[in-house]
Amino acid sequence: MITVNQLHPLFFGEIVGADLTAEPTEELRRTVEDAMAQHAVCVVRQGPITDEQHIRFARLFGPLELPPGYGSRPTSGRMAPELFFAGNLDLDGNIKPFTPANRDVAKGAERFHADSSFNPLPSKWSMLRGVECPPSEAGGDTLFVDLRAAYDDLADEMKARIEPMIGIHDFWKGREYAGLEVTEDMRARMMVPPVEHPLVRTMPNGRKAVFVGGHCTGVVGMSESEGHDFVEALYAHVTQPQYVHRHQWREGDIVIWENRCALHAATSLKTDRYRRDMRRATVNESGPEIDAYEYRRRMEAAG
Ligand code: OGA
Ligand code: MN
């Protein structure tokens, strides 16, 4: 028997009683789809599972977005190459020392964002699994925002004003606005031209969301500074405390978030005393199972 509880007054479900070590059932798939439509973010409470069980579960909901360089980048064998890594371990699984440089790399994720909104392929969900989680006092909680509730509370004039607007999502500019120093070398190693998404997104159940976040740096038709100010004001609105839920990780948790109507942010670690091993499957709405950069290259090659 699978049950769903709501952990925040506005959103965030807790799914209890699923067994992801067993062959997934249609009941499980439907329960999770329904819970996600209602809550936008859900934690599946679960004992330890393997990467393969995690990937099998993710594929029930759409084709995987594969990590950049899938199939060509070095892997350790420690983790399935289909998964993204979020944590403080190097390829061999050793804790990365708590240096300013290592901390800076994590900074981008500490601004609220929707994963992959800078990619042309429409991202659906991310599913992050806590393999090894530091105690909450050591940092590493993850924060979530409900963009539907934030939309609902906008004044009617503002809703009408943003309805036709198109947001510009620019990975490197977002990193710069987050305070990171972005070098030409970094840009050259990862070419990410900006993409556009509507500022208001309508979910299949009819609820609307104001789609801003760390990668959304402007608005089509506005000057750069005007667009930046405009999306920053919306960002300040959606990240107010009443829309935020803080998740404290328990080992085995899989937190699933809607990238179309929720934002998330990492919180910094305070020490390198603990291992943080978090692995993420990302699913798209549709399309081939491919790494987003490879997809972009193919689109460009095809004209
Ligand atoms: C991610 C992410 C936050 C965290 O995996 O996309 O932003 O707390 N993670 O690890
Ligand atoms: Mn993220």
Side-chain angles (χ1 to χ4, degrees), residues 86 108-116 126 128 142 175 215 257 259 264-266 280:
E110 290 174 23
R111 229 170 108 71
F112 280 97
H113 62 281
D115 288 330
S116 296
S126 293
L128 186 65
T142 309
R175 285 294 194 258
H215 308 305
W257 57 83
N259 281 312
H264 61 284
R280 192 184 94 203

Side-chain angles (χ1 to χ4, degrees), residues 45-279:
R45 301 289 190 192
Q46 187 68 200
I49 62 168
T50 64
D51 287 353
E52 288 64 38
Q53 287 161 345
H54 184 172
I55 291 165
R56 172 177 71 178
F57 179 57
R59 281 196 173 125
L60 295 176
F61 306 102
L64 297 184
E65 181 199 326
L66 300 171
Y70 175 80
S72 61
R73 69 179 178 157
T75 52
S76 62
R78 198 176 71 78
M79 191 178 107
E82 290 86 354
L83 300 178
F84 292 70
F85 183 71
N88 66 349
L89 306 179
D90 64 20
L91 267 189
D92 297 323
N94 301 311
I95 294 182
K96 287 189 198 162
F98 197 55
T99 60
N102 283 341
R103 265 176 275 169
D104 273 0
V105 172
K107 275 277 176 283
E110 290 174 23
R111 229 170 108 71
F112 280 97
H113 62 281
D115 288 330
S116 296
S117 75
F118 49 85
N119 285 330
L121 264 176
S123 170
K124 183 184 177 189
W125 298 353
S126 293
M127 313 170 98
L128 186 65
R129 170 169 135 249
V131 180
E132 291 178 274
C133 310
S136 191
E137 314 81 78
D141 294 347
T142 309
L143 307 176
F144 295 93
V145 149
D146 183 352
L147 294 174
R148 305 164 309 172
Y151 174 87
D152 291 344
D153 288 348
L154 288 173
D156 287 343
E157 306 80 72
M158 191 55 150
K159 286 180 182 161
R161 187 167 170 215
I162 63 175
E163 183 70 32
M165 287 187 181
I166 307 289
I168 302 170
H169 295 245
D170 184 329
F171 180 80
W172 287 122
K173 203 173 271 178
R175 285 294 194 258
E176 279 175 351
Y177 288 154
L180 209 72
E181 201 175 319
V182 177
T183 62
E184 279 313 307
D185 185 48
M186 286 157 85
R187 285 179 200 276
R189 261 185 292 137
M190 207 170 97
M191 305 270 274
V192 208
V195 298
E196 298 174 0
H197 297 291
L199 217 48
V200 177
R201 298 184 83 169
T202 307
M203 298 302 293
N205 67 1
R207 287 199 71 182
K208 291 186 174 185
V210 50
F211 193 62
V212 289
H215 308 305
C216 180
T217 55
V219 177
V220 172
M222 290 188 188
S223 74
E224 185 164 332
S225 71
E226 188 194 359
H228 181 220
D229 291 350
F230 193 80
V231 297
E232 283 304 299
L234 286 173
Y235 181 95
H237 167 71
V238 305
T239 56
Q240 293 179 89
Q242 68 268 32
Y243 306 123
V244 177
H245 178 78
R246 173 180 285 266
H247 182 69
Q248 302 186 332
W249 289 89
R250 297 185 201 160
E251 244 148 57
D253 282 354
I254 298 180
V255 178
I256 312 174
W257 57 83
E258 257 294 353
N259 281 312
R260 301 171 292 190
C261 67
L263 300 178
H264 61 284
T267 63
S268 55
L269 287 172
K270 298 177 186 144
T271 158
D272 55 13
R273 283 232 316 279
Y274 301 97
R275 299 169 63 78
R276 188 171 196 263
D277 183 345
M278 314 280 283
R279 306 178 186 188

